[in-house]
């Protein structure tokens, strides 16, 4: 499969495509040049197709988890152990329902993680409130269910005209 060079050496080209595909899947649409959009489309379509194929391929199981007991302020409750004369955290067992991926879904998840960059949502000027976004989970839970009845063609490229400055043909690529 031949690939457009996009005026970059291999590692810079790969980084550019990873960044743009991640942003397309996170935001839903991006503005770029036509050549880049055509390359982005190939990769994004494959990732979405993987998500559509595997989005409901899991089983829910109930597990027992051992978690520390907490007080009203959210601090762990610690008590004195008479045998060792040390303070130890008290634990309680709770029931949790988790999704257990099938082997093919796990493989698809790892293939997506191999390509997509990690995304961090930061609230205006507050780094403490930064939240990591699980892009693979977003693909499986939000993007893929929209396209279950569709056989490909998950993106649309709309031409905008020439860019001011270098006259490169600009487009908007978006998820349909």
């Amino acid at each position: 499969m031949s690939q457009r060079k996009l005026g970059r050496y291999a590692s810079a080209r790969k980084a550019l495509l990873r960044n743009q595909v991640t942003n397309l899947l996170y935001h839903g649409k991006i503005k770029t040049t036509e050549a880049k959009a055509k390359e982005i489309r190939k990769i994004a379509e494959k990732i979405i197709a993987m998500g559509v194929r595997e989005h409901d391929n899991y089983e829910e199981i109930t597990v027992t988890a051992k978690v520390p007991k907490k007080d009203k302020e959210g601090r762990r409750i610690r008590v004195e152990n008479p045998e060792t004369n040390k303070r130890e955290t008290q634990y309680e067992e709770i029931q949790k329902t988790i999704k257990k991926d099938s082997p093919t879904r796990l493989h698809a998840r790892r293939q997506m993680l191999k390509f997509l960059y990690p995304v961090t949502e930061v609230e205006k000027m507050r780094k403490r409130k930064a939240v990591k976004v699980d892009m693979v989970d977003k693909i499986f839970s939000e993007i893929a269910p929209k396209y279950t009845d569709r056989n490909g063609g998950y993106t649309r490229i709309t031409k905008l005209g020439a860019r001011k400055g270098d006259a490169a043909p600009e487009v908007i690529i978006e998820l349909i």
Side-chain angles (χ1 to χ4, degrees), residues 33-34 36-39 41 155-159 170-174 176:
T33 63
E34 191 174 1
K36 289 176 193 168
K38 288 179 180 176
E39 286 301 308
R41 170 186 262 176
T155 58
R156 174 188 299 133
I157 295 177
T158 309
K159 294 184 180 186
E170 271 198 319
V171 298
I172 289 180
I173 181 168
E174 59 189 337
I176 295 175

Side-chain angles (χ1 to χ4, degrees), residues 2 6 17-18 37 48 94 102-103 105 116 118 120 125 132 143 154 166 168:
S2 81
L6 303 175
L17 293 173
R18 285 180 68 186
I48 294 170
I94 61 166
S102 69
R105 181 176 162 124
L116 298 173
T120 307
M125 304 303 284
K132 289 191 190 262
I143 297 172
Y154 310 116
D166 64 353

Side-chain angles (χ1 to χ4, degrees), residues 125-142:
M125 304 303 284
R126 294 194 178 181
K127 284 191 175 181
R128 283 189 190 164
K129 303 268 181 173
V131 178
K132 289 191 190 262
V133 177
D134 187 359
M135 282 302 297
V136 176
D137 189 51
K138 182 175 180 173
I139 292 168
F140 282 137
S141 63
E142 294 175 27

